[in-house]
Amino acid sequence: GRYTPQDFIELVRSHNIAFHEKTLGQLFCDGSARQIVAMLMAECDKSAAAGGHVDFVFDAPVGEVTHDGSDYHVTYNGVHAQGGALVIATGGPSIPKMGATAFAYDLGRQFGLKIVEPRPALVPLTLGGDDILFRELSGVSAEVVARHQKTAFREAALFTHRGLSGPAVLQISSYWRPGDQVEIDFLPSLDATELLLSEKRARPRATLRSTLDRVLPARLAEALAAKIGLLGNLADQNDRKLVGAGALLGNWPFVPNGSEGYAKAEVTLGGISTDGLSQKTMEAKKMPRLFCVGEAVDVTGWLGGYNFQWAWASGVAAGEAI
């Protein structure tokens, strides 16, 4: 807790960057996220003015990285840099079109650090087989509860032409493993069984579709009613069938056949194992003055700024120790 979310918010305020809060306490710049990058670079300039030294070098592929027993040596674009400490802060392989690679893991292995097998996280899930019939719902969004075993998130889910996305599904994807089932509660504010049974008595001529139409987006109501298949008026259905339909609406099982992979994953699970690092400074236990921070490390937060906060907090811990 040495560098808290409040510490970062105060830094943003000190640079007069306007921001607003969305659902679940998530903070967004009123203008552009580039303001945060500019702020961090301005802080580097400030440290240089105070006697520090920060050089920015962009689009420079890193060649050899070595340690001679006292200093680290890095070559890039034919230039040689040398220093007493090296920080691995190169992230994970998520969203390669931004330049993301697995470089951190290669470097970690080179210096004897253990790598926890990486996989995409906070990523849309893909569907196949019968579930692909939901493809016709592409673009439909609804508030749901997405569950995986004992973990659940209540947020929006979005149907895509390939499967399921939206915040609730991105969150659950970090817990999902290939072959696992994910359940969706399409009526998180209601007891679906209670709804159907009470509607049968209050509006006997209502249908399953017309009942769902009142509480769900029309295309979703139509698709779910068609899948469940209770044709005719609710009055014509016996209670046992309505109980079964209600149970399904509250706990609809999907078995994703995969995910959209690193191309669409917001973060990466896995990475440089925390076992080999100091909890206080992020320094490698077996390699002097080698520090690992941010997403390069096997630490993954929820959606909504947790991964950014981990980057700042772990970076500060390493920076103070150097």
Side-chain angles (χ1 to χ4, degrees):
R2 279 183 299 164
Y3 192 78
T4 66
Q6 197 53 45
D7 290 328
F8 188 76
I9 289 167
E10 282 167 16
L11 178 64
V12 172
R13 284 202 171 109
S14 74
H15 283 255
N16 296 315
I17 297 171
F19 60 88
H20 57 279
E21 184 173 330
K22 289 193 181 176
T23 54
L24 305 177
Q26 297 172 12
L27 305 179
F28 291 81
C29 292
D30 290 358
S32 162
R34 287 195 178 96
Q35 294 172 283
I36 299 297
V37 177
M39 174 191 81
L40 296 171
M41 292 178 78
E43 285 293 307
C44 290
D45 290 343
K46 200 187 291 181
S47 92
H53 186 69
V54 180
D55 284 337
F56 292 108
V57 181
F58 300 110
D59 296 321
V62 172
E64 202 177 24
V65 181
T66 57
H67 185 252
D68 65 10
S70 58
D71 276 4
Y72 289 91
H73 301 263
V74 180
T75 59
Y76 58 91
N77 275 9
V79 179
H80 169 257
Q82 166 178 0
L86 180 69
V87 181
I88 301 177
T90 56
S94 296
I95 315 190
K97 70 180 180 188
M98 291 199 314
T101 70
F103 179 70
Y105 312 150
D106 298 338
L107 208 47
R109 284 190 193 97
Q110 178 187 325
F111 290 116
L113 296 172
K114 197 171 115 226
I115 309 298
V116 176
E117 185 186 353
R119 58 192 176 94
L122 298 182
V123 64
L125 298 174
T126 55
L127 299 173
D130 288 347
D131 293 332
I132 212 65
L133 294 175
F134 282 96
R135 184 184 281 164
E136 72 214 38
L137 292 174
S138 183
V140 171
S141 176
E143 187 181 355
V144 304
V145 172
R147 285 193 201 92
H148 174 267
Q149 296 171 9
K150 292 180 179 174
T151 306
F153 294 96
R154 179 173 177 163
E155 276 208 71
L158 172 70
F159 285 94
T160 72
H161 66 289
R162 290 170 58 105
L164 292 167
S165 188
V169 173
L170 295 184
Q171 291 278 42
I172 218 71
S173 73
S174 294
Y175 298 83
W176 175 82
R177 291 276 190 165
D180 289 356
Q181 183 171 288
V182 168
E183 294 96 29
I184 304 284
D185 179 354
F186 285 108
L187 297 169
S189 299
L190 298 164
D191 179 323
T193 301
E194 184 56 44
L195 171 72
L196 297 180
L197 292 175
S198 62
E199 285 291 286
K200 174 180 173 177
R201 285 152 186 73
R203 295 184 179 80
R205 294 178 66 183
T207 62
L208 176 61
R209 180 175 169 188
S210 72
T211 301
L212 293 180
D213 231 0
R214 294 172 52 214
V215 290
L216 288 171
R219 282 167 63 200
L220 180 57
E222 180 184 4
L224 292 175
K227 280 273 211 176
I228 292 171
L230 294 180
L231 301 175
N233 301 339
L234 291 182
D236 301 332
Q237 318 296 335
N238 68 39
D239 283 3
R240 186 174 50 79
K241 283 189 175 174
L242 293 179
V243 168
L248 198 49
L249 289 164
N251 212 37
W252 196 291
F254 292 97
V255 180
N257 64 358
S259 80
E260 296 269 9
Y262 287 121
K264 297 281 180 70
E266 300 211 5
V267 291
T268 305
L269 275 169
I272 295 168
S273 174
T274 54
D275 291 348
L277 305 175
S278 158
Q279 291 184 11
K280 289 184 177 174
T281 65
M282 308 307 296
E283 184 177 11
K285 292 174 182 174
K286 292 182 179 172
M287 197 72 203
R289 317 293 288 148
L290 176 67
F291 299 83
C292 307
V293 303
E295 203 185 331
V297 180
D298 178 26
V299 173
T300 306
W302 285 353
L303 196 65
Y306 293 87
N307 296 288
F308 280 127
Q309 178 58 30
W310 163 246
W312 326 133
S314 57
V316 167
E320 288 177 346
I322 290 171

